[in-house]
Amino acid sequence: MAKLFEKVALIGIGLIGSSIAREIRDKGLAAAVTISTRSRETLDRAEVLGLGDRYVLSAGEAVEDADLVIVSVPVGASGTVAQAIAPHLKAGAIVTDVGSTKGSVIAQMAPHLPASVHFIPGHPIAGTEYSGPDSGFVGLFKSRWCILTPPAGTDETAKGQLRAFWEALGSDVEEMDPEHHDKVLAIVSHLPHIIAYNIVGTADDLETVTESEVIKYSASGFRDFTRLAASDPTMWRDVCLHNKDAILEMLSRFSEDLAYLQRAIRWGDGDKLFDLFTRTRAIRRSIIQAGQDTDMVDFGRHALDAKS
Ligand code: NAP
């Protein structure tokens, strides 16, 4: 594949950063990749894995001369990283991120970044419950959406270059307003994780059912929540704190609908239950038809997550 950038700087080299690094290496998308992360341990691991060409602890040093800078850290750390890299950015560089919330990341990063760079926030809708540089893999972004939230007046050429980059990783790219992004993600990603953390926490707190019973009989449904509830605590703490309004709005809708379901169960209203369960089944079929999951009995996870 053709080289898209001369120098790329990756700030943060966990699941997402290291998957991007592997893609760049695999597809030859850049002449040189510099990797920076805050801890010596993670940086050394990235070097052992051969994820880049240069490894530095200083984020500022990493972005010098970079044409593309990708920030892949927990969303709560975005402002600190922006502050650290701002004085070192090359004029004309594209600065992007992969954070799961967009309004807060923009509010944290934009005030620090010079007008001479193109700041185009982004969010690949792809991930797993694993974290760290070992967890990344080629293929993570294939056939997944990547949402860009460019501010009004963003340079079209820069936007086109970033779009081409994500497309080279196999993603479909869509542009969205950051506020809308945060609402959509609150329902499709943030709420499901919160519900999963909650149900697994409830099961852990039960006195009448033992932990060993929960684990033993988990294949009846519980285990599907545990995958989400095993996701990185730092990342998800930050998501909750940084998409507060949209999450609270969706949680309140969720609680109302749960109360409706609770009443239907209490009053033995089988028709209401049957109607809802029929409607939700159709959504599952639509997701499969849209290629966002498979109809294999294990949810196709082994095939989808296979490291290629
Ligand atoms: P990860 O595997 O936990 O890696 C996090 C990276 O950020 C590491 O390099 C870590 O450095 C660094 N980091 C952690 N805390 C930091 C801080 N306070 N200041 C500076 N650097 C810090 O995380 P990830 O899953 O790749 O997630 C990265 C971003 O992608 C997050 O914003 C997340 O919302 C977004 N995202 C995640 C997923 C997903 O499924 N995981 C999907 C889409 C988007 P050290 O190891 O050196 O401490």
Side-chain angles (χ1 to χ4, degrees), residues 12-16 37-39 42 73-74 77 98-100 124 126-128 131-132 235:
I13 196 74
L15 169 70
I16 302 296
T37 186
R38 66 175 175 167
S39 76
T42 304
V73 302
V98 298
S100 306
T128 73
S131 43
M235 170 185 159

Side-chain angles (χ1 to χ4, degrees), residues 133-178:
D134 285 273
S135 62
F137 57 95
V138 169
L140 175 64
F141 308 108
K142 193 164 185 286
S143 304
R144 295 288 168 261
W145 288 95
C146 179
I147 300 175
L148 301 181
T149 61
T154 297
D155 182 79
E156 287 298 324
T157 309
K159 210 160 70 178
Q161 281 177 292
L162 187 59
R163 179 180 271 272
F165 178 79
W166 281 107
E167 285 172 352
L169 270 52
S171 293
D172 295 313
V173 179
E174 189 145 277
E175 284 181 34
M176 217 180 260
D177 165 59

Side-chain angles (χ1 to χ4, degrees), residues 11-18 36-43 57 71-78 80-81 97-101 105 123-133 135 140-141 193 231-232 234-239:
I11 313 299
I13 196 74
L15 169 70
I16 302 296
S18 78
S36 175
T37 186
R38 66 175 175 167
S39 76
R40 166 59 60 190
E41 192 191 352
T42 304
L43 194 66
L57 280 173
V71 177
S72 309
V73 302
V75 290
S78 313
T80 313
V81 168
D97 78 303
V98 298
S100 306
T101 68
V105 166
H123 178 202
I125 313 298
T128 73
E129 65 274 35
Y130 301 108
S131 43
S135 62
L140 175 64
F141 308 108
H193 279 82
S231 300
D232 189 70
T234 305
M235 170 185 159
W236 284 97
R237 175 203 63 197
D238 279 14
V239 168

Side-chain angles (χ1 to χ4, degrees), residues 13-28:
I13 196 74
L15 169 70
I16 302 296
S18 78
S19 293
I20 294 172
R22 286 173 169 92
E23 292 284 358
I24 294 173
R25 187 181 60 186
D26 185 64
K27 299 179 171 59

